[in-house]
Amino acid sequence: MATVAFAPAPRAVALSQGSLGARPAATSAGSEMSRSRKSTMMSNLGENDEEEQELWFDVLDRYLVRPGVCCAAAAGSLADAEVALCTAVPDWDHVYQEARMEEITQPDDVSTEWVTVEELQCLQAALSGERTWLWIAGERYIVNYLKDERVREQEIKMMFANRPRKGVWLAAVKNLVYYAIYDEEVPGQNAFQLRKAMLKLAVHIVDNCWV
């Protein structure tokens, strides 16, 4: 899509093992895994869902990834305090990892415990202020900022979390959720630049009534 004049809030789908979708291989990472995940997802969705995925892929790519302020981004919906994703740039492997067991260091910094990690549940809990950490694409981030802000006259929720050399900004505008990950090893990527881009996209979302 050459231009983005209007975009409805994405019709998100809950992610579970084997049900991930991705943009066609020519414009994503091109891995066999991404193609397989897309085929599985699209077999369960109508054409409109695929069109919305393509549309939001272009939105995220245009405002966040292509300007070089982040290495990956995702968008989805927030309904009844549950987060569901529908689109990822450049592919799902960069923004999401399926449920798994992780060995977590306990508060004594000595003992460990194996726990089940479901990334969307972690994200949901962090957004509601119930948890001070989250997992994205297999990596753990510590939440440092969670606050309601205003864009134009619309209230949005902004969240920031980081780990060594990497970080993620998340914005929730009504029923729309989108987040992006930066990597300080990449020139031009940092928390400040990504926050500006996230807010710029929020302005476009509000001004064009995308939610």
Side-chain angles (χ1 to χ4, degrees):
M1 182 172 295
T3 61
V4 179
F6 173 80
R11 186 183 308 166
V13 290
L15 301 179
S16 60
Q17 185 169 359
S19 66
L20 293 174
R23 189 174 174 87
T27 52
S28 69
S31 66
E32 290 297 328
M33 180 178 293
S34 295
R35 287 194 291 270
S36 174
R37 287 175 172 177
K38 180 177 185 296
S39 298
T40 303
M41 169 71 95
M42 293 310 159
S43 66
N44 298 319
L45 297 176
E47 291 182 0
N48 289 337
D49 297 281
E50 184 171 5
E51 290 174 0
E52 289 174 10
Q53 286 187 321
E54 294 292 325
L55 178 59
W56 279 96
F57 184 104
D58 291 335
V59 170
L60 296 177
D61 187 46
R62 176 180 176 182
Y63 289 106
L64 299 175
V65 179
R66 203 182 311 165
V69 296
C70 70
C71 54
S77 70
L78 176 63
D80 298 325
E82 292 187 0
V83 178
L85 300 180
C86 76
T87 306
V89 184
D91 57 35
W92 286 108
D93 294 334
H94 285 78
V95 300
Y96 177 82
Q97 192 173 112
E98 295 167 351
R100 63 201 180 275
M101 297 295 291
E102 293 278 358
E103 188 175 16
I104 307 298
T105 301
Q106 299 304 294
D108 60 12
D109 292 327
V110 177
S111 59
T112 62
E113 180 181 354
W114 285 92
V115 299
T116 300
V117 172
E118 169 45 67
E119 294 192 354
L120 294 186
Q121 291 179 2
C122 292
L123 188 60
Q124 170 189 337
L127 267 176
S128 63
E130 299 174 5
R131 187 170 295 172
T132 58
W133 49 267
L134 67 155
W135 290 80
I136 294 179
E139 295 184 311
R140 193 183 190 195
Y141 292 78
I142 304 300
V143 176
N144 293 293
Y145 181 88
L146 179 63
K147 185 177 180 180
D148 291 331
E149 301 187 20
R150 297 195 73 81
V151 170
R152 302 293 195 239
E153 296 302 317
Q154 175 66 51
E155 186 174 276
I156 71 171
K157 187 180 292 293
M158 293 289 291
M159 182 174 72
F160 173 70
N162 68 347
R163 57 179 286 110
R165 309 296 294 175
K166 299 182 74 173
V168 55
W169 274 103
L170 180 144
V173 188
K174 290 187 177 180
N175 65 328
L176 168 66
V177 173
Y178 61 97
Y179 63 85
I181 305 161
Y182 70 85
D183 184 346
E184 292 179 353
E185 299 292 336
V186 179
Q189 293 191 13
N190 56 62
F192 177 70
Q193 294 297 331
L194 181 53
R195 174 181 165 82
K196 288 199 305 181
M198 293 284 289
L199 291 174
K200 181 178 180 180
L201 177 52
V203 169
H204 284 281
I205 290 171
V206 173
D207 285 351
N208 292 281
C209 302
W210 291 357
V211 291

